[in-house]
């Protein structure tokens, strides 16, 4: 069954909706760059972790953040997985994973076959193939045809196109954020429909 991660959660109301629909993963943006409007503070993330169903791992998303910051949140149990969306090197990925003893995922912006090749070779526990950073548009899914390594698909996914994406791309999992929002707020009905779509296909 295709895994699904609901990302960009910002409010306790979002966590209540997640607990109701039970995705495989929940995600919060912990990048400290102010341009990421979905980003929350570690303190907010801690409160959300406490409210989140303990069976649902919480993924923290970072963008070129420093190693001690990311390691600290993993070690403290605020998050269970780090997902890196910046220019982090293979050495950084290994160092964070070794220091924290937790999984590290790495996102890759896919525009060319070379981008896919880099994703396949990453030492991260899971590559994430994306169109950008929260830009809400898809990339050319034909570029990932034949990828044998498990990966997460992201970028422009919605409850309406999720079934087609899974059927065409066959990802290990899908990551959805803007596609489950209405007026910049997480929409519980869209969250429910997204999870249902992922659960309906192998």
């Amino acid at each position: 069954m295709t895994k699904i991660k609901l990302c960009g959660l910002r409010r306790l109301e979002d966590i209540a909706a997640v607990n109701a629909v039970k995705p495989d993963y929940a995600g919060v943006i912990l990048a400290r760059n102010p341009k990421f409007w979905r980003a929350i503070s570690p303190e907010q993330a801690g409160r959300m972790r406490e409210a989140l169903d303990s069976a649902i791992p919480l993924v923290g998303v970072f963008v070129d953040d420093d190693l001690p910051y990311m390691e600290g949140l993993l070690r403290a149990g605020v998050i269970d997985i780090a997902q890196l969306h910046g220019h982090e090197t293979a050495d950084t990925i290994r160092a964070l994973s070794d220091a924290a003893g937790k999984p590290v995922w790495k996102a890759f912006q896919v525009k060319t076959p070379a981008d896919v090749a880099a994703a396949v070779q990453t030492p991260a526990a899971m590559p994430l193939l994306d169109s950008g950073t929260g830009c809400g548009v898809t990339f050319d899914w034909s570029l990932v045809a034949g990828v044998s390594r498990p990966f997460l698909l992201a970028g422009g996914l919605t409850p309406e196109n999720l079934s087609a994406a899974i059927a065409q791309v066959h990802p290990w999992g899908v990551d959805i954020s803007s596609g489950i929002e209405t007026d910049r707020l997480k929409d519980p009905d869209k969250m429910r429909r997204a999870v249902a779509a992922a659960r309906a296909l192998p």
Side-chain angles (χ1 to χ4, degrees):
M1 184 180 293
T2 306
K3 307 293 185 183
I4 182 167
K5 172 173 164 273
L6 302 182
C7 199
L9 309 172
R10 296 186 295 133
R11 307 173 303 153
L12 289 176
E13 293 93 328
D14 301 339
I15 297 298
V18 164
N19 289 341
V21 300
K22 300 194 183 315
D24 299 284
Y25 299 91
V28 292
I29 313 300
L30 290 164
R32 292 188 286 187
N33 188 321
K35 78 174 185 178
F36 300 110
W37 66 267
R38 293 186 184 91
I40 62 173
S41 69
E43 293 73 25
Q44 288 174 289
R47 290 190 290 271
M48 292 168 73
R49 170 72 270 182
E50 290 177 1
L52 182 65
D53 185 327
S54 61
I56 303 174
L58 186 62
V59 181
V61 176
F62 303 93
V63 183
D64 296 320
D65 288 290
D66 62 82
L67 198 62
Y69 174 61
M70 298 185 289
E71 181 187 340
L73 290 168
L74 285 165
R75 283 185 173 275
V78 175
I79 55 174
D80 304 292
I81 299 167
Q83 181 174 310
L84 311 183
H85 272 258
H87 301 88
E88 300 87 2
T89 65
D91 287 343
T92 297
I93 293 167
R94 293 189 190 97
L96 179 58
S97 181
D98 291 346
K102 299 283 183 69
V104 176
W105 295 353
K106 179 70 177 81
F108 293 84
Q109 186 173 354
V110 176
K111 293 184 177 179
T112 69
D115 299 326
V116 178
V120 170
Q121 296 167 6
T122 181
M126 182 67 62
L128 181 144
L129 306 183
D130 200 353
S131 56
T133 305
C135 57
V137 297
T138 61
F139 63 89
D140 181 0
W141 293 336
S142 69
L143 289 170
V144 302
V147 173
S148 58
R149 177 175 178 175
F151 65 90
L152 281 161
L153 178 69
L157 298 176
T158 68
E160 290 72 32
N161 69 10
L162 208 52
S163 295
I166 293 170
Q168 178 178 335
V169 180
H170 305 293
W172 175 84
V174 292
D175 188 330
I176 182 169
S177 180
S178 61
I180 49 170
E181 291 174 349
T182 299
D183 297 329
R184 284 195 163 195
L185 294 176
K186 289 295 184 276
D187 184 320
D189 181 62
K190 289 181 179 179
M191 296 165 77
R192 177 189 58 77
R193 289 192 286 121
V195 172
R199 296 276 188 265
L201 293 171

